[in-house]
Amino acid sequence: MTTGIEARSRILNHLRDGLGDTQPLSQEDDIGCVADVQRNYEERIQQFSHMMAAAKADVHRTTDRLWPELLEQLLREKKISNLLVSLQKEPGKRLAEYEPDFVLRDTGDNPLAIKDELFFGTPAALTTCRGAIAETGSLVIWPDAQEPRAMSLIPPVHFVLLKARDIHSTFADVIRLEGWATGMPTNALLISGPSKTADIARILAYGAHGPRELVVILVDDEAN
Amino acid sequence: MNDFRERVDRDLNNPLLRSNFREAMNFLMDKRSSRFPDDEQLQSLRDLGASIRKRALSKLPDLLEQLEARLRDNGIRVHWAESPEQANQIVLDIARHHGAKTVIKGKSMVSEETELNEFLEQEGVTPIESDMGEYILQLAEDKPSHIVMPAIHKTRQEIAHLFEDNLAGCEYTEDVDALILAARKELRKAFHSADIGLTGVNFMVAETGTLVLVENEGNGRMSTTVPNVHIAMTGLEKVIESLDDLPPLLTLLTNSATGQPITTYVNMISSPRQQGEDGPEEVHLILLDNGRTIPYADKEMRQTLQCIRCAACMNHCPVYTRLGGHAYGTTYPGPIGSILSPHLLGLEETKDLPSASTLCGACSEVCPVRIPIPDLLRRLRHEGVRKLKSGEEAVIRGHGAKYTHTEKAAWLSWSKLYSSPALYRTFALSATLFRGLTPSRMKGWTDHRTLPRPAKKSLHSLVKSYRKQNGASL
């Protein structure tokens, strides 16, 4: 749906008139480039962890077998007694089998129905991610019905499971290798640390509107 | 705008403001330079940034149509507004349609440009700013003084008093964590109950129909996730051709703005919520012209529209650093404001802005998309004092707004004087002979300085007599 039909045509006409003899440029006309940095598997992990730590996120490297135990320990240390997780996804199922000493709360089928719970009664959530970017220390997340957008935003502590082999070198690599241009989701996110602000006298404070803590559980398959 | 000089005097004579800005700009300049250690790589990246923006502008109307078609296919509604009034009315119509009482706002400079808050309040809809800086300003009934850090002119103590006076149960504290926590609690309630979320946009990707928002706080994500309706409002120049164009521009934007390799959140929105998902049921995009098509029609001034709003130009500007943002009197201050505002508001309203620069060139040295700001400032100065030839169309509203017969006559005389040796010699002789008659006050100059008296003898005559005594070589 487009509104303001007259405004639309006037604006486009102004722009077309304004083009004059301008020839459309193509990508081949571009000059300059982004410095090309190639990183191997271990370097990607190191760079990712370094950038995340610089943004005050915690990264814990573990194995596929040990991560539920690690998560349990982290929750105990943070004195968090319940965790929001999708029991329909693999990590949720794993946790349910593991029978941890904290309460597992399922996101269910209708994310809109858990809005109040998210705002007022969810101390922490665990989500998966699609991958990560080493260069900037960013998690790539495409929220869905089981792991909705609000899950990585509203709870004060956000745990993320990341498989080490899913860490790409750059954002440009992610876009190209995963063919993003052929189909974008409703919402794609890069998350590069806990929420923060420096709007008061340039002093950095964490937990502005989103999570105060971002904890990445890095599952390293190669270490198995 | 006509009391520009009064505002300059006011702000130059405010030592606290000057030291706040000096420190803040030093901080931002240091942060940026630490992120670009390799100059060769930086220059190449800037070349690429400029190429991407020039390429997008070289086919702007086509890209806007492509963007619109993709967004429409994705279920996002597109609105076109020629003026701030039209843009505000579109927001109000959407609010009325949904019976909305409150609009929670992520940071949007375009909504500052259209004075949306004032308009909505008059119409009985409550706008709530949620960016911490903007929230502080809304409580203080103040305006942004910087486009990236809007409340940079406020001290911690001022904010502490403001929160104590306005936030229920908030006691005076200068602890920044406590202040942020107090605002977080207050704004969480607002997010929970808001009917509409309104944000700006950093980039619009024509290829996929994607709106890209960058931020650190999470209020942009909250505004685009929790309320049932999301309205994005932006200038029509923010479109880029493809997703591949995004990573280099993101790198340039966040590193140039705050010296961050990336912001905490990069939020890419391509549709309203689908079956089973969360997020808004409706997403609207308002594309605002408000004079942007005017510089577009001039190849030189079109470069103004390359801007990605990083604010590096103001952070590095010696004039902005001394004045702060409010003295400019426009939504966008600093060097970019001085070349953009004349198009948005007309030169009549903004005639002093192109002169509010030393033309030192610091802005163009740091601009991530290589906008030749000093050249554009000089061009606007020229357009401001130039009379149109017969049949010539004005390239800017308020063309010739600074033209005066007196100035024209003065420069004509100067030109005659300096191009005729006989006249020049007569002038130099009279200036030295009658130097006692130099007036003690001269407008502008003597307000802040003592007027120099011409010397007894001119340099020319001194050289002449020296040569007479000592031979030809000086």
Side-chain angles (χ1 to χ4, degrees):
Chain A
M1 192 179 101
T2 299
T3 52
I5 303 291
E6 282 176 23
R8 177 188 186 277
S9 66
R10 271 199 297 268
I11 289 169
L12 286 171
N13 285 343
H14 278 307
L15 290 174
R16 291 230 151 79
D17 290 347
L19 266 176
D21 59 357
T22 306
Q23 292 303 309
L25 295 166
S26 75
Q27 253 170 329
E28 286 80 63
D29 300 312
D30 286 359
I31 54 167
C33 64
V34 179
D36 188 26
V37 184
Q38 294 297 326
R39 296 182 183 91
N40 64 28
Y41 178 83
E42 186 56 33
E43 285 167 346
R44 289 201 294 275
I45 293 176
Q46 291 304 325
Q47 172 70 10
F48 171 81
S49 305
H50 168 74
M51 294 307 284
M52 271 285 168
K56 212 184 161 253
D58 295 329
V59 180
H60 299 273
R61 196 167 172 176
T62 182
T63 62
D64 189 51
R65 191 173 62 83
L66 293 175
W67 74 257
E69 201 178 311
L70 172 70
L71 179 67
E72 188 179 46
Q73 187 195 328
L74 290 170
L75 283 170
R76 210 178 297 140
E77 281 167 17
K78 293 179 192 298
K79 297 188 171 57
I80 296 172
S81 57
N82 68 78
L83 180 76
L84 186 71
V85 64
S86 166
L87 294 179
Q88 294 170 61
K89 295 212 171 193
E90 211 46 50
K93 288 179 187 164
R94 270 289 296 283
L95 281 176
E97 274 170 30
Y98 175 77
E99 295 182 357
D101 63 4
F102 55 86
V103 178
L104 287 177
R105 285 164 45 213
D106 185 18
T107 51
D109 292 326
N110 181 6
L112 299 174
I114 57 168
K115 178 179 165 184
D116 286 357
E117 191 184 332
L118 274 163
F119 266 92
F120 307 116
T122 306
L126 170 76
T127 72
T128 56
C129 66
R130 204 180 155 84
I133 300 162
E135 185 178 56
T136 50
S138 310
L139 296 158
V140 181
I141 296 186
W142 286 19
D144 57 21
Q146 288 76 42
E147 289 180 350
R149 288 151 83 162
M151 212 176 157
S152 60
L153 178 63
I154 300 178
V157 184
H158 180 203
F159 291 93
V160 186
L161 266 183
L162 165 68
K163 290 181 183 137
R165 64 164 180 268
D166 294 335
I167 305 177
H168 294 279
S169 195
T170 63
F171 184 29
D173 283 353
V174 172
I175 290 175
R176 200 179 53 248
L177 296 170
E178 297 189 353
W180 281 28
T182 57
M184 287 289 279
T186 303
N187 186 216
L189 293 164
L190 305 184
I191 298 182
S192 310
S195 148
K196 64 185 177 190
T197 183
D199 272 352
I200 299 182
R202 306 185 310 283
I203 296 163
L204 204 52
Y206 292 91
H209 292 287
R212 274 183 217 119
E213 287 182 56
L214 177 68
V215 184
V216 181
I217 298 173
L218 179 62
V219 178
D220 185 357
D221 309 302
E222 304 290 305
N224 275 331
Chain B
M1 216 19 246
N2 293 331
D3 46 0
F4 175 69
R5 279 162 198 280
E6 281 173 29
R7 285 195 302 271
V8 169
D9 277 343
R10 179 197 66 197
D11 291 351
L12 279 180
N13 287 309
N14 182 340
L16 181 65
L17 193 74
R18 286 188 64 170
S19 83
N20 275 355
F21 271 96
R22 178 76 268 172
E23 284 172 28
M25 297 306 109
N26 285 348
F27 169 81
L28 288 167
M29 285 193 289
D30 290 347
K31 292 266 282 175
R32 175 190 172 275
S33 66
S34 71
R35 291 293 315 158
F36 291 123
D38 185 325
D39 191 57
E40 205 176 315
Q41 284 180 9
L42 169 62
Q43 300 313 329
S44 187
L45 188 60
R46 291 176 68 214
D47 284 340
L48 183 58
S51 295
I52 291 170
R53 292 298 298 134
K54 277 182 197 296
R55 171 154 51 80
L57 291 174
S58 78
K59 38 190 159 188
L60 183 60
D62 289 347
L63 290 186
L64 284 170
E65 284 189 312
Q66 186 190 354
L67 174 80
E68 181 189 39
R70 291 282 174 282
L71 289 170
R72 200 178 44 213
D73 293 347
N74 299 349
I76 294 178
R77 305 179 194 194
V78 182
H79 309 260
W80 301 71
E82 288 178 285
S83 63
E85 294 75 27
Q86 279 179 14
N88 289 346
Q89 189 59 46
I90 293 167
V91 175
L92 182 65
D93 289 347
I94 299 169
R96 291 262 194 267
H97 178 76
H98 289 276
K101 301 262 188 317
T102 55
V103 173
I104 192 123
K105 293 177 66 201
K107 194 165 163 292
S108 160
M109 288 310 291
V110 168
S111 75
E112 296 283 346
E113 186 184 324
T114 67
E115 300 185 332
L116 178 67
N117 288 5
E118 293 80 351
F119 173 77
L120 287 180
E121 274 165 15
Q122 281 165 17
E123 299 293 335
V125 178
T126 309
I128 304 166
E129 294 287 355
S130 67
D131 171 86
M132 289 295 178
E134 293 274 6
Y135 179 65
I136 291 163
L137 297 181
Q138 192 176 29
L139 290 179
E141 296 178 8
D142 202 349
K143 291 272 184 192
S145 58
H146 188 276
I147 62 171
V148 173
M149 306 189 82
I152 205 159
H153 59 288
K154 290 271 179 225
T155 62
R156 203 195 310 194
Q157 292 73 20
E158 285 175 290
I159 296 166
H161 282 300
L162 201 59
F163 280 19
E164 185 191 17
D165 296 345
N166 289 280
L167 269 57
C170 182
E171 287 176 10
Y172 184 90
T173 173
E174 291 181 18
D175 179 65
V176 171
D177 286 326
L179 289 169
I180 292 296
L181 184 62
R184 173 186 168 108
K185 279 187 182 157
E186 202 64 27
L187 286 164
R188 282 236 155 176
K189 287 185 251 167
F191 279 120
H192 184 261
S193 61
D195 304 298
I196 293 178
L198 188 139
T199 66
V201 177
N202 294 95
F203 302 105
M204 307 182 282
V205 185
E207 178 184 35
T208 51
T210 301
L211 309 177
V212 185
L213 283 79
V214 304
E215 53 143 351
N216 287 312
E217 294 184 0
N219 65 309
R221 283 191 65 202
M222 284 285 211
S223 309
T224 58
T225 303
V226 182
N228 201 40
V229 179
H230 168 215
I231 305 173
M233 197 173 184
T234 191
L236 51 75
E237 77 279 21
K238 293 269 183 84
V239 66
I240 55 173
E241 189 172 13
S242 70
L243 268 184
D244 288 339
D245 292 337
L246 184 59
L249 288 181
L250 274 180
T251 305
L252 283 166
L253 174 61
T254 62
N255 284 290
S256 302
T258 49
Q260 288 178 267
I262 194 164
T263 47
T264 301
Y265 301 112
V266 177
N267 183 6
M268 291 161 271
I269 297 163
S270 301
S271 78
R273 72 166 180 250
Q274 305 297 300
Q275 184 68 33
E277 294 177 345
D278 67 340
E281 189 180 10
E282 276 181 29
V283 180
H284 298 260
L285 172 68
I286 303 173
L287 292 167
L288 177 67
D289 175 357
N290 191 26
R292 287 166 172 80
T293 46
I294 301 170
Y296 188 74
D298 181 285
K299 273 189 190 161
E300 187 182 24
M301 295 203 277
R302 187 183 295 160
Q303 297 173 98
T304 310
L305 302 177
Q306 284 169 216
C307 177
I308 56 171
R309 304 283 190 273
C310 70
C313 61
M314 50 195 85
N315 301 345
H316 290 75
C317 175
V319 176
Y320 176 89
T321 301
R322 281 158 183 82
L323 286 182
H326 286 158
Y328 291 82
T330 48
T331 305
Y332 306 96
I336 184 61
S338 297
I339 59 167
L340 179 65
S341 308
H343 300 291
L344 306 186
L345 301 166
L347 260 181
E348 197 68 57
E349 291 281 306
T350 56
K351 60 187 170 200
D352 291 314
L353 293 187
S355 308
S357 163
T358 61
L359 299 180
C360 72
C363 49
S364 60
E365 271 178 28
V366 294
C367 176
V369 289
R370 294 198 183 280
I371 302 173
I373 298 175
D375 293 348
L376 296 172
L377 286 167
R378 277 189 302 139
R379 173 74 191 280
L380 287 167
R381 289 181 187 184
H382 184 58
E383 298 298 341
V385 295
R386 192 169 70 89
K387 272 212 155 168
L388 290 176
K389 293 174 196 132
S390 70
E392 189 187 356
E393 261 186 64
V395 290
I396 185 163
R397 277 183 292 158
H399 191 284
K402 244 191 155 177
Y403 178 91
T404 62
H405 291 296
T406 327
E407 193 176 2
K408 178 82 178 170
W411 286 113
L412 263 179
S413 320
W414 183 88
S415 153
K416 283 221 160 60
L417 191 67
Y418 277 74
S419 53
S420 150
L423 264 179
Y424 181 81
R425 272 195 294 273
T426 318
F427 169 72
L429 187 66
S430 353
T432 47
L433 279 178
F434 305 114
R435 68 194 193 100
L437 300 176
T438 310
S440 60
R441 293 195 59 78
M442 275 181 95
K443 199 183 153 199
W445 185 269
T446 50
D447 288 347
H448 303 286
R449 309 168 189 85
T450 314
L451 193 71
R453 260 198 323 172
K456 276 182 190 164
K457 287 184 172 181
S458 74
L459 182 65
H460 273 139
S461 65
L462 285 174
V463 171
K464 214 170 176 182
S465 47
Y466 181 89
R467 280 178 172 167
K468 235 180 211 170
Q469 285 168 22
N470 302 290
S473 66
L474 186 64

